[in-house]
Amino acid sequence: MSVFGTVNTKLKIFSGRANRPLAEGIARALAVPLGNLTIGDFPDKETSVRIEEDVRGRDVFIVQPTCTPVNDHLMELLIILDAFKRASPARITTVLPYYGYARQDRKDKGRVPISAKLVANLITKAGADRVLALDLHAAQIQGFFDIPVDHLYAVKEIAKYVRSLNIDQSDLVVLSPDEGSIKKALDFQKNVGGLIAVADKRRSSATEIKHGHLIGAPLEGKSVVLYDDMISTAGTISGAVRVARDHGAKHVFVCATHGVLCGPAIERLRGSAIDQIVITDSVPLPPDKQLPNMKVISVANLIANAIGRIHGNESVSELFRDDLPGRK
């Protein structure tokens, strides 16, 4: 049964190769079949795309996180968009559960690109009429697009799981792994309760991070929940876990929307004193990156609800009205 009622037959969901299981989950939640799209590679590794059904006049949603390998999945998305643009649908919405290049959102030194803006330009030029994104690393990326952007947050789904752990409110502290994630941690704390604290982080290089002082609530004997938008190399997270344990935390849970888990991430997480790691299926989790203490939460229903609202010309922000006040 559809998550939003009767489905208009003009709604079509298609998927690239980046995360087809998530796209299938979205299609199931909407009670529509996943669209028939053939994607392959020519002998020289150029991407081949063919739409195997009529999409003229349809409301098309293309699910494709630009996750590792980022450049391959981004180029595949652009070619898919071009194919649909030439097939005359009524509207094309790009669904980005994960936005690659999001961390290159400003010039932090001379003579460097703003790659997040370049990616926005490419997606728009390729044919997208609208973008649906999940937990962008920087909210201002929405302004890089000259087309409508709907920004989803996985905080509600992750918070629901944390609440199911039945941690006593007097023992719970939400820890932001650095100063830049304070707003995300505050939003999360509104949903799970407890107190708030911040691990002071100093970046010595692009890959080296040192954590120092603790700001906010004491952690002695507490159950600490770290919350961030992504785990990439896990340098920030593992450093914050050390801070929590050094300050006497009883339990440490790590929560993030995007389990990018690149480079030394798995080794760092395996070597950290973490009770449980909670991530979503915004990007696929291959077997070599799965740890015994990992819990994967699906965002398929969240994205399906948003797609249903966009298709029905309803407000997407209503999904977060109770959980994230002020986001209208």
Side-chain angles (χ1 to χ4, degrees):
M1 182 175 179
S2 167
V3 298
F4 69 100
T6 303
V7 180
N8 190 309
T9 55
K10 289 189 176 181
L11 171 65
K12 297 296 296 184
I13 310 292
F14 292 88
S15 175
R17 291 180 290 185
N19 196 347
R20 188 176 176 88
L22 175 59
E24 290 171 346
I26 293 168
R28 280 195 301 270
L30 289 164
V32 298
L34 198 60
N36 193 2
L37 181 66
T38 299
I39 307 173
D41 294 310
F42 290 110
D44 61 358
K45 301 304 179 183
E46 291 181 359
T47 299
S48 167
V49 171
R50 178 177 172 82
I51 307 163
E52 302 290 358
E53 58 185 279
D54 180 21
V55 294
R56 183 177 296 273
R58 297 297 183 100
D59 193 6
V60 170
F61 292 80
I62 302 166
V63 181
Q64 176 82 336
T66 50
C67 51
T68 304
V70 177
N71 294 338
D72 290 350
H73 288 149
L74 174 59
M75 193 64 200
E76 181 175 291
L77 171 61
L78 299 177
I79 295 171
I80 292 170
L81 283 169
D82 188 74
F84 276 98
K85 180 176 68 173
R86 299 174 190 280
S88 302
R91 179 174 61 181
I92 304 171
T93 300
T94 299
V95 181
L96 293 168
Y98 173 74
Y99 188 93
Y101 287 101
R103 285 169 288 182
Q104 298 185 47
D105 63 325
R106 63 195 183 281
K107 289 189 67 173
D108 55 354
K109 60 187 73 173
R111 299 178 298 280
V112 297
I114 304 179
S115 303
K117 169 61 175 170
L118 172 62
V119 170
N121 290 344
L122 290 170
I123 290 171
T124 304
K125 188 66 176 178
D129 298 303
R130 191 178 196 99
V131 167
L132 177 62
L134 175 67
D135 273 327
L136 292 169
H137 183 68
Q140 65 263 25
I141 291 173
Q142 296 173 79
F144 292 172
F145 288 90
D146 294 323
I147 56 177
V149 176
D150 290 298
H151 191 192
L152 302 180
Y153 305 88
V155 61
K156 182 177 179 181
E157 279 66 28
I158 297 174
K160 181 180 178 182
Y161 177 75
V162 171
R163 289 196 301 269
S164 75
L165 299 175
N166 295 318
I167 302 172
D168 192 290
Q169 289 288 299
S170 62
D171 287 337
L172 176 62
V173 177
V174 175
L175 177 63
S176 174
D178 57 29
E179 297 87 339
S181 300
I182 292 175
K183 189 175 186 300
K184 298 184 185 77
L186 284 169
D187 284 340
F188 188 70
Q189 187 246 350
K190 289 176 185 176
N191 282 269
V192 299
L195 300 175
I196 192 82
V198 182
D200 180 32
K201 181 181 82 171
R202 296 288 183 266
R203 184 177 290 278
S204 54
S205 71
T207 56
E208 294 295 325
I209 293 168
K210 293 183 179 179
H211 280 82
H213 302 291
L214 178 73
I215 304 167
L219 306 184
E220 182 71 35
K222 302 293 185 180
S223 293
V224 174
V225 180
L226 284 94
Y227 180 75
D228 208 350
D229 65 308
M230 72 169 71
I231 304 174
S232 183
T233 62
T236 297
I237 288 295
S238 60
V241 170
R242 283 195 297 272
V243 170
R245 291 299 187 181
D246 289 347
H247 284 79
K250 178 175 59 177
H251 299 292
V252 177
F253 303 90
V254 170
C255 301
T257 301
H258 309 298
V260 179
L261 305 178
C262 58
I266 294 301
E267 289 72 20
R268 285 173 171 171
L269 293 174
R270 186 181 286 117
S272 298
I274 302 172
D275 290 85
Q276 193 165 42
I277 303 163
V278 183
I279 56 177
T280 78
D281 58 351
S282 63
V283 299
L285 186 67
D288 61 314
K289 293 184 179 181
Q290 296 174 12
L291 294 174
N293 61 342
M294 266 185 190
K295 170 70 176 180
V296 179
I297 297 172
S298 181
V299 289
N301 284 342
L302 170 64
I303 295 174
N305 268 292
I307 288 174
R309 287 180 171 274
I310 292 169
H311 179 62
N313 296 314
E314 300 175 18
S315 171
V316 173
S317 62
E318 288 295 308
L319 292 171
F320 307 101
R321 185 181 59 180
D322 295 333
D323 299 282
L324 301 177
R327 287 183 177 152
K328 304 293 184 183

